[in-house]
Amino acid sequence: MRTTLFAYSKKGVETAKKAAVCIDGEAELFTVERLAGDGAKPIPKPSGKFYGEKFAASDALIFVSSCGIAVRSIAPFIKSKITDPAVVVIDETGRFVISLLSGHIGGANAAAKRIADALGATPVITTATDINGRFSVDAWAKTHGLAISDMIAAKAVSAAILEADIPVKSDFSIIGELPSGLICEDGETGVYITYKTDKPFKTTLRLIPKCVVLGIGCRRGTPKEAIAEAVHHALVENGIDPRAVKCAASIDLKKNEAGLIEYFRKNGLPLSFHTAEELKTVPGEFTASDFVKEITGVDCVCERAALINADKLIIKKTALAGVTVAAALVKTEVNFG
């Protein structure tokens, strides 16, 4: 986590240093030129571009200042609650810690509470679900690493949950009690925890865990474009959201296939390779091929590779332009605790 702190007075610098102690990851402190030194770097002039660069590069910005200074510094760079960093304001005496921007997805609410606890201060949280003790769908999704399907639906769910309990549906076992605001009933606006693209409610907010493992096979020299087309085709045809893909696997004979490696590198997905002997040990019934067995030493690469680190096959072998794709589901549980 990359955090940038700003302070504009001697007392503010002291408070910023106390706050920095409880920050995980990298932290940089900037102040006015006359107070720079001893761990505090000078804010360059003109400062407008500098604030923009830090806004884009940081996971969190912490201003030890008035809210007005913080707002004027970041206003030109605010884009979306999905991408904006957390912004927290602390008064220079360290009495109040205010979550100013990106409270849920950006993590400003959690940061404000953590810093306030460290400083012995009062956290100031203004998001409606938090102050009313209702389930915060975007904060929960962020904390648990789930993708949010649609921010418009997320906004509708957050509004609805303030008025009444709303339904939740899950493709995975729910462990423990439901939080305040969610019920296992039917309704028009609801939350669906899934790896699929289905929409069981009139307004459906899908929360998507990374729980799908792809198994891949391909001809020698297959370009990344063909890999992309085959993967997209397999997922779309089977109603699986691409954001649910956790990783991929193939046989070690393909470990030098440039197109295969480049596709998964570009999409930020881990790709592992396994020997024929390892793939043979995977239990189950597979789409066997004598030709594939002759070439690779195992009767089916993609289905076995998908299951080597997963539990249930959800896409059997599909072939397109020399690429074979299968997918398996990792056992997943939902815990609102």
Side-chain angles (χ1 to χ4, degrees):
M1 182 172 180
R2 297 161 297 178
T3 302
T4 306
L5 299 96
F6 303 97
Y8 305 89
S9 68
K10 184 176 180 181
K11 187 173 288 187
V13 170
E14 293 173 358
T15 299
K17 289 181 178 179
K18 292 177 182 177
V21 172
C22 68
I23 293 171
D24 295 328
E26 303 174 15
E28 282 187 299
L29 170 59
F30 292 88
T31 186
V32 293
E33 188 172 354
R34 65 183 178 83
L35 298 175
D38 192 24
K41 301 175 183 179
I43 297 173
K45 295 181 180 179
S47 59
K49 181 181 178 182
F50 172 72
Y51 283 116
E53 291 171 348
K54 292 301 177 183
F55 190 90
S58 303
D59 298 304
L61 302 180
I62 299 174
F63 288 83
V64 184
S65 68
S66 67
C67 286
I69 288 176
V71 169
R72 290 186 179 91
S73 299
I74 66 173
F77 315 110
I78 296 172
K79 294 180 180 179
S80 165
K81 66 186 299 182
I82 300 175
T83 58
D84 291 341
V87 180
V88 173
V89 176
I90 309 173
D91 73 283
E92 68 172 28
T93 65
R95 291 178 58 199
F96 300 100
V97 184
I98 305 165
S99 173
L100 188 68
L101 184 72
S102 293
H104 289 158
I105 297 177
N109 288 359
K113 292 174 184 176
R114 185 171 63 253
I115 294 169
D117 185 61
L119 297 180
T122 301
V124 180
I125 310 296
T126 59
T127 43
T129 50
D130 293 79
I131 62 177
N132 285 285
R134 304 290 277 176
F135 176 63
S136 174
V137 65
D138 44 3
W140 184 82
K142 167 74 173 181
T143 301
H144 291 81
L146 279 68
I148 296 173
S149 65
D150 180 351
M151 291 309 300
I152 295 176
K155 185 175 181 180
V157 162
S158 295
I161 213 168
L162 291 172
E163 303 295 330
D165 293 343
I166 66 169
V168 59
K169 179 180 178 181
S170 175
D171 287 334
F172 315 101
S173 298
I174 296 177
I175 307 301
E177 296 182 358
L178 294 178
S180 175
L182 296 183
I183 52 175
C184 290
E185 297 180 8
D186 294 329
E188 288 201 352
T189 299
V191 175
Y192 184 23
I193 305 170
T194 182
Y195 60 94
K196 302 173 185 174
T197 55
D198 297 348
K199 296 182 179 181
F201 309 107
K202 183 176 180 181
T203 299
T204 299
L205 173 62
R206 291 181 297 112
L207 301 182
I208 308 152
K210 287 194 173 295
C211 57
V212 173
V213 178
L214 296 179
I216 302 287
C218 65
R219 293 174 185 160
R220 182 178 299 175
T222 300
K224 65 179 184 295
E225 292 80 8
I227 304 290
E229 184 180 3
V231 170
H232 177 76
H233 172 78
L235 294 176
V236 170
E237 286 294 307
N238 290 275
I240 295 176
D241 194 303
R243 289 168 289 189
V245 176
K246 178 181 182 180
C247 58
S250 188
I251 193 166
D252 62 353
L253 294 174
K254 302 300 175 183
K255 64 183 179 182
N256 294 318
E257 283 293 335
L260 187 65
I261 294 169
E262 175 61 17
Y263 170 76
F264 286 102
R265 185 201 63 78
K266 182 179 178 181
N267 287 277
L269 295 171
L271 174 62
S272 60
F273 297 96
H274 306 273
T275 65
E277 292 303 315
E278 289 173 326
L279 295 178
K280 284 179 184 178
T281 65
V282 178
E285 295 182 4
F286 303 102
T287 309
S289 166
D290 291 336
F291 175 76
V292 170
K293 187 174 183 179
E294 182 180 346
I295 298 298
T296 67
V298 63
D299 59 359
C300 181
V301 169
C302 63
E303 292 178 358
R304 289 180 179 273
L307 275 170
I308 200 163
N309 290 311
D311 301 278
K312 176 186 176 183
L313 198 65
I314 54 175
I315 300 179
K316 293 184 72 67
K317 176 182 176 180
T318 62
L320 182 68
V323 182
T324 56
V325 181
L329 195 63
V330 176
K331 184 178 180 181
T332 304
E333 295 178 338
V334 176
N335 192 333
F336 291 105

